[in-house]
Amino acid sequence: MDCRILLCNTYHLGHRPGHERVKAAGGLHKMMNWNRSILTDSGGFQMVSLSKLMTVDENGVNFESPHTAEMMALPPEKSIEIQQALGADIMMQLDHVIHVLTTGDIVKEAMHRSIRWLDRCVQAHTRDDQAMFPILQGGLDLELRKECAEEMAKRAKVGIAIGGLSGGEEKDHFWKVVAACCAALPPHLPRYVMGVGFPVDLVICSLLGADMFDCVYPTRTARFGTAMVRRGGLMQLNQKRYKEDFLPIDEKCQCNTCRTYTRAYIHSVIGKVCAV
Ligand SMILES: [Zn+2]
């Protein structure tokens, strides 16, 4: 896919092989022999999604380890320490993530706390060869988003992320928040909309002024046997009709997959080559 930037997962790498070990190996780039860019997340999101027990207080995110059941804390400083050891080109601040459909005072509190945590991340950030992106919060409230964008833009040096979206909100609300954030941000900072990957969202958000996206959608979709094709949208290669179809996914495509594998071959290995 000739991708230029790879997202690596701080939580999983911090657990195994462990950020100290990655650091000893010379950082993620050396460990993987990957000489293009790497972005790491803050680790907070996995704690929220993987942990049964999770609380947030001013100090940071507290969670029960899914591996040992012991209670652990991730303050903003620790997130930056791990990401600096991993050596990503772009690190993300630890933010207070709430579900996008949450309403009430907590939305405002989480937004203000994310700004305070950003200041702590800035303090903890000591390597000048790594960039750090703030993450805008504020739920679906356009005024809170604007306030957050103005505060965080003052602290952002290289780029800025729009977080807390893509969690089941209506498209209309989602696009309005992206539009409001992009309008409130200075033009020189690249805007990264987190967790977004459906083709239509990429097109609309690009038109609204967004520059970067990340999503499990392409890899998860492929893993479940669906190819995204130029014409016709999605091709479900697990369907029986591809069992003896010896054409490539796209006859005109010059990519490695299309030049190497037939639909029948892919049909035969779905679910076998990768653990789901
Ligand atoms: Zn192709």
Side-chain angles (χ1 to χ4, degrees):
M1 292 179 74
D2 197 27
C3 87
R4 302 295 162 127
I5 180 162
L6 191 68
L7 194 156
C8 294
N9 204 279
T10 295
Y11 175 83
H12 291 298
L13 288 163
H15 173 65
R16 199 161 42 199
H19 64 284
E20 297 294 351
R21 193 169 286 175
V22 175
K23 189 180 181 182
L28 281 175
H29 291 87
K30 275 230 168 92
M31 198 173 100
M32 290 191 288
N33 195 21
W34 169 263
N35 55 20
R36 291 182 175 179
S37 298
I38 293 176
L39 181 151
T40 43
D41 61 355
S42 70
F45 179 77
Q46 259 75 33
M47 279 163 207
V48 177
S49 61
L50 293 177
S51 176
K52 277 171 270 166
L53 268 174
M54 195 279 299
T55 59
V56 176
D57 56 32
E58 192 59 26
N59 182 53
V61 182
N62 309 296
F63 62 100
E64 182 186 274
S65 164
H67 307 285
T68 64
E70 112 194 72
M71 285 307 287
M72 300 174 79
L74 183 79
E77 293 80 5
K78 183 76 183 170
S79 170
I80 296 300
E81 182 197 323
I82 298 173
Q83 293 185 75
Q84 289 192 145
L86 296 174
D89 302 279
I90 300 175
M91 307 186 291
M92 302 304 296
Q93 80 154 112
L94 183 74
D95 54 342
H96 184 173
V97 184
I98 52 167
H99 191 272
V100 66
L101 299 176
T102 308
T103 54
D105 291 344
I106 182 69
V107 182
K108 191 175 184 177
E109 285 165 25
M111 183 276 273
H112 284 294
R113 176 169 282 152
S114 295
I115 297 172
R116 291 194 296 276
W117 284 3
L118 172 59
D119 286 331
R120 288 168 58 185
C121 288
V122 170
Q123 286 294 315
H125 180 191
T126 52
R127 275 181 64 172
D128 57 11
D129 58 339
Q130 292 178 288
M132 182 185 56
F133 282 21
I135 305 175
L136 299 190
Q137 291 293 339
L140 298 176
D141 186 316
L142 301 187
E143 281 306 308
L144 291 183
R145 286 280 178 175
K146 187 164 174 276
E147 187 186 339
C148 192
E150 285 165 2
E151 281 305 314
M152 287 189 169
K154 291 178 197 164
R155 297 151 169 92
K157 293 203 176 90
V158 180
I160 199 156
I162 301 168
L165 292 172
S166 206
E169 72 276 24
E170 283 178 35
K171 290 277 186 208
D172 197 39
H173 295 152
F174 161 67
W175 289 327
K176 276 189 179 133
V177 172
V178 174
C181 291
C182 288
L185 288 171
H188 68 281
L189 295 174
R191 297 88 178 255
Y192 162 29
V193 187
M194 301 178 79
V196 168
F198 293 126
V200 65
D201 292 336
L202 301 187
V203 175
I204 303 273
C205 291
S206 298
L207 290 168
L208 293 174
D211 304 288
M212 296 168 61
F213 309 92
D214 82 281
C215 192
V216 295
Y217 179 74
T219 46
R220 178 184 287 167
T221 303
R223 206 159 68 221
F224 284 94
T226 300
M228 296 165 75
V229 291
R230 270 166 247 264
R231 291 179 191 279
L234 302 175
M235 181 185 268
Q236 283 168 330
L237 290 149
N238 53 359
Q239 289 175 350
K240 260 195 193 136
R241 60 182 163 135
Y242 296 115
K243 201 172 172 184
E244 294 186 19
D245 183 337
F246 298 104
L247 292 172
I249 291 175
D250 179 340
E251 287 172 88
K252 288 183 184 154
C253 180
Q254 293 303 305
C255 85
N256 185 55
T257 302
C258 292
R259 285 185 302 175
T260 312
Y261 303 105
T262 64
R263 295 170 186 174
Y265 176 76
I266 296 167
H267 175 93
S268 72
V269 297
I270 289 166
K272 291 178 192 155
V273 278
C274 308
V276 174

